[in-house]
Amino acid sequence: MSPFLVMLCLAVQLGVSQDKEEYLVTDFDSGGILPNAWQSFGDLANYGVQQRNASSDGKYYELVWNGATDKGYLVAQSDITFRLIPKKKLKGKSMDNVFLKMDVNCGGAPGTVVNIVLVDGPNDCCSNEVNWQYTFTKTNCGWETIEINLAEFGYAYNPSNHEKYININKVGRVKVGVDVFSGPARQIVQFDNVALVVKDSVTVKRYDENAIIADTTALKTQAKDFFVGMAVNPTRVQDPKYATVYKKEFNSITAENAMKMKSILKGMDAQGNLIYDWTQSDAIVDFAEANGMNIHGHTLIWYNSIPDFLNDFKGTDQEFELLIEKYVTAVVSRYKGKVDSWDVVNEAIDEGTSEFRKSVFYERMGADYVKKCFQYARNADKEAKLFYNDYGLMYDTDKQRGAFALVDDLMADNLIDGVGYQMHIDFNFPSKQEIQSATDLAVERKLLVHFSELDVKVNSKGKLKEFTVDKMQEQAKKVYEVVGIYNSIPKAYSYALTIWGLKDDDSWITPTYGFPDWPLLFDSDFGKKKAYSAFLQALE
Ligand code: XIL
């Protein structure tokens, strides 16, 4: 055989594609390395999976199962596994330069999670595994190409595997699993064109654990295209120790509580006029004005901040609605031209569902209440940017669907300008991909993105008694990741990245959850933590 033919045969055997950088594992079209490369693991029938097979035309691979059940959680799970052939090509490469690429199709069923597991070592036994997850978020999801940096596997969702990294020289297999959570029934997930891609030109920036921060640097000056915000209260803005840091580091503020309904709306007099107390909210607005800071208004309507008289309101639903209109109008009008943006409604969608939370506003004003409130705010200040704000939008896929259905509805009437993702997160949850794809949902709609209440818990299980160096670095890595994602939002759609408090001991987390935690950028002595350094580094 001529050397040329030997080369050709070798290339075909290895499934090497035309592109020198891309090592195709399988495209399924010609049979390729199928069926030998695919192996089954686990008891598929146990999870309702009926078949795994090449599609009828043999062009891709698919998992078929029964569809959603009424269990409301995981309804199907399965693994399909293939060997990575071109091991040799990876020898000596850095994980930063190697990508796993594949086409996946959720068949129109958002909420499907594809689990991708990278395995080093040839056998099922005794090898290292790391996870990465991809969630289909688009309302009408179909074929999508996903590309994952091998180094990302180490930072993946719930790094329950003790290995942070696997040995690239030993990468042997990829397992693909599918988790199906509650939501619309679905039948099939398909895979195609699984490839390893080597991109020698890629350099990945990483958080530097030992970076020294110059004291002259400030968060707000480092962030070029968006505000860096801080949650404040009236006492702290008057405390010189706090005010100095606020002024140095931040160019936007949010009232942690002072602009909530319970702080402003005090009752109703005998004539039916609303009684307001503007002391706290004015103090915050005055501070921002005096220091040239942006003000984000939080929040006009929240089920968790309702004065008692309103909860017990004896009037008719119509009277209730009128009262809410008056309230929203009064607050927005008072701060017209001063408050740049408002969280009009906070947390309207119930956890783990796509349904409205059955709040007093919902009960009294109907399913249209959110729309009505946005309209009142719009009427009162045409220039103010109006946001829908919520938590869990990154990982609670049902809630995410519900919230974005609401957002779409508001968009249809031109009533909304942005989405606030609260970002009360953990050092290891949600995943980078979940944060990224949730952010994309707003950007795709050409809406502003606000990361509105960032804090990063390290002790949500309550096991830690003190803040360890290890946790401090893990937290910093997460902050680096979050700020990196925010910083790469196109300028037209980025607004502010707001942190929910200054010092660890100021945070609402410990009193609320009952565990000690250290979720912020400054320690209790106003010292900058590693998380602060990570924030700055991600902006470089
Ligand atoms: C919290 C404040 O931080 C606490 O001080 C207060 O007791 C309760 O509210 N989601 C929101 C914020 O939108 O307004 C909440 O703030 C935290 C959760």
Side-chain angles (χ1 to χ4, degrees):
M1 221 190 279
S2 78
F4 173 74
L5 272 180
V6 172
M7 292 283 287
L8 194 72
C9 286
L10 217 69
V12 170
Q13 261 177 4
L14 294 177
V16 177
S17 77
Q18 302 285 359
D19 182 351
K20 275 204 187 105
E21 291 212 309
E22 189 160 310
Y23 308 114
L24 194 64
V25 175
T26 181
D27 67 0
F28 306 113
D29 286 26
S30 55
I33 56 169
L34 258 175
N36 293 338
W38 293 90
Q39 300 164 5
S40 71
F41 288 96
D43 182 358
L44 303 178
N46 228 0
Y47 296 108
V49 176
Q50 294 174 323
Q51 335 163 21
R52 300 161 306 117
N53 46 257
S55 64
S56 46
D57 60 3
K59 287 202 186 289
Y60 44 79
Y61 208 80
E62 63 191 16
L63 287 169
V64 185
W65 64 87
N66 294 327
T69 70
D70 54 4
K71 285 192 189 129
Y73 52 98
L74 190 74
V75 293
Q77 190 180 52
S78 174
D79 287 342
I80 45 180
T81 302
F82 54 88
R83 284 191 201 99
L84 291 176
I85 302 299
K87 268 199 274 181
K88 265 199 290 193
K89 308 282 183 189
L90 302 182
K91 278 246 155 71
K93 295 282 177 198
S94 150
M95 283 206 179
D96 287 352
N97 298 104
V98 185
F99 295 77
L100 178 73
K101 190 174 162 188
M102 66 173 82
D103 295 337
V104 280
N105 184 356
C106 83
T112 302
V113 179
V114 183
N115 262 315
I116 300 163
V117 183
L118 202 59
V119 188
D120 72 10
N123 304 313
D124 200 29
C125 159
C126 321
S127 41
N128 298 328
E129 295 191 0
V130 274
N131 288 298
W132 193 85
Q133 292 208 337
Y134 183 76
T135 309
F136 291 94
T137 49
K138 290 205 181 75
T139 319
N140 295 306
C141 51
W143 280 106
E144 290 174 30
T145 301
I146 59 178
E147 202 176 271
I148 319 141
N149 188 309
L150 260 50
E152 293 283 324
F153 276 85
Y155 295 112
Y157 160 79
N158 189 11
S160 52
N161 304 302
H162 40 272
E163 302 81 8
K164 275 190 184 157
Y165 303 100
I166 61 167
N167 185 344
I168 192 164
N169 293 328
K170 290 189 190 160
V171 165
R173 285 185 291 119
V174 168
K175 294 204 282 185
V176 181
V178 183
D179 290 344
V180 184
F181 296 93
S182 60
R186 64 212 66 175
Q187 311 291 335
I188 285 176
V189 170
Q190 298 164 332
F191 304 89
D192 202 359
N193 298 323
V194 185
L196 281 171
V197 183
V198 177
K199 296 181 183 178
D200 283 324
S201 56
V202 168
T203 45
V204 176
K205 247 180 50 161
R206 295 214 178 286
Y207 159 65
D208 174 1
E209 296 194 349
N210 303 311
I212 312 277
I213 303 296
D215 204 43
T216 46
T217 341
L219 301 176
K220 68 176 180 189
T221 37
Q222 209 65 31
K224 304 285 181 270
D225 299 333
F226 55 88
F227 295 121
V228 183
M230 174 48 53
V232 299
N233 71 35
T235 327
R236 291 187 192 133
V237 295
Q238 276 145 26
D239 177 337
K241 276 179 120 176
Y242 280 91
T244 312
V245 189
Y246 291 160
K247 287 190 268 185
K248 180 179 174 217
E249 301 284 351
F250 306 98
N251 48 12
S252 178
I253 57 171
T254 302
E256 183 173 1
N257 293 304
M259 288 188 170
K260 289 172 183 168
M261 198 185 265
K262 237 180 173 167
S263 305
I264 295 178
L265 185 57
K266 294 299 173 187
M268 202 161 69
D269 68 14
Q271 289 75 46
N273 300 311
L274 294 177
I275 304 164
Y276 301 99
D277 178 354
W278 304 107
T279 334
Q280 296 197 46
S281 48
D282 279 359
I284 284 173
V285 172
D286 292 347
F287 173 79
E289 293 262 288
N291 295 292
M293 296 164 117
N294 180 67
I295 307 166
H296 172 71
H298 173 82
T299 169
L300 296 168
I301 302 289
W302 186 29
Y303 79 94
N304 211 6
S305 180
I306 306 173
D308 293 342
F309 89 94
L310 204 59
N311 264 326
D312 308 334
F313 186 67
K314 296 285 179 302
T316 64
D317 291 349
Q318 238 178 348
E319 285 163 343
F320 181 94
E321 187 168 322
L322 196 64
L323 189 158
I324 296 301
E325 178 173 4
K326 274 192 193 158
Y327 173 76
V328 171
T329 309
V331 179
V332 176
S333 306
R334 182 175 182 90
Y335 298 121
K336 188 174 171 175
K338 295 184 174 177
V339 167
D340 185 62
S341 52
W342 281 103
D343 289 334
V344 179
V345 179
N346 194 30
E347 303 178 358
I349 305 294
D350 227 344
E351 240 172 74
T353 79
S354 302
E355 309 295 318
F356 280 115
R357 193 186 288 277
K358 304 297 177 288
S359 65
V360 64
F361 307 105
Y362 177 90
E363 302 293 355
R364 291 287 200 145
M365 296 166 68
D368 252 7
Y369 89 87
V370 176
K371 236 180 186 175
K372 289 174 184 167
C373 293
F374 271 78
Q375 188 68 64
Y376 306 150
R378 236 341 162 238
N379 295 346
D381 184 354
K382 300 262 176 307
E383 304 298 320
K385 302 174 181 79
L386 306 183
F387 282 79
Y388 175 69
N389 194 56
D390 212 329
Y391 64 92
L393 295 180
M394 287 127 345
Y395 55 86
D396 184 338
T397 48
D398 290 315
K399 186 171 182 178
Q400 183 187 74
R401 240 192 336 274
F404 278 91
L406 172 62
V407 164
D408 288 339
D409 205 24
L410 291 164
M411 280 180 79
D413 290 339
N414 193 23
L415 289 173
I416 185 168
D417 304 291
V419 178
Y421 300 78
Q422 290 186 5
M423 302 297 289
H424 299 296
I425 61 174
D426 281 66
F427 76 98
N428 60 354
F429 181 84
S431 72
K432 182 176 180 183
Q433 186 268 328
E434 285 171 309
I435 300 171
Q436 181 67 63
S437 56
T439 306
D440 292 346
L441 289 175
V443 173
E444 280 159 16
R445 287 167 169 80
K446 301 192 186 319
L447 292 171
L448 293 169
V449 177
H450 186 193
F451 283 0
S452 55
E453 307 179 12
L454 179 69
D455 45 37
V456 183
K457 293 188 278 298
V458 296
N459 195 27
S460 55
K461 295 204 170 69
K463 289 192 181 138
L464 284 185
K465 298 280 172 279
E466 56 183 34
F467 195 38
T468 60
V469 175
D470 198 36
K471 280 291 176 302
M472 190 176 335
Q473 296 291 12
E474 295 283 336
Q475 177 184 59
K477 274 185 202 160
K478 197 68 188 175
V479 167
Y480 185 83
E481 183 183 291
V482 168
V483 178
I485 290 171
Y486 197 85
N487 200 32
S488 62
I489 294 172
K491 193 175 172 179
Y493 310 119
S494 67
Y495 179 62
L497 206 173
T498 299
I499 304 153
W500 209 241
L502 189 68
K503 300 186 340 337
D504 281 340
D505 56 336
D506 300 333
S507 171
W508 72 299
I509 295 290
T510 294
T512 307
Y513 294 94
F515 296 126
D517 213 318
W518 303 267
L520 299 171
L521 303 191
F522 288 79
D523 65 27
S524 52
D525 298 321
F526 291 90
K528 291 171 184 165
K529 290 166 58 189
K530 290 288 178 188
Y532 175 96
S533 165
F535 198 118
L536 265 189
Q537 288 181 45
L539 296 172
E540 272 163 13

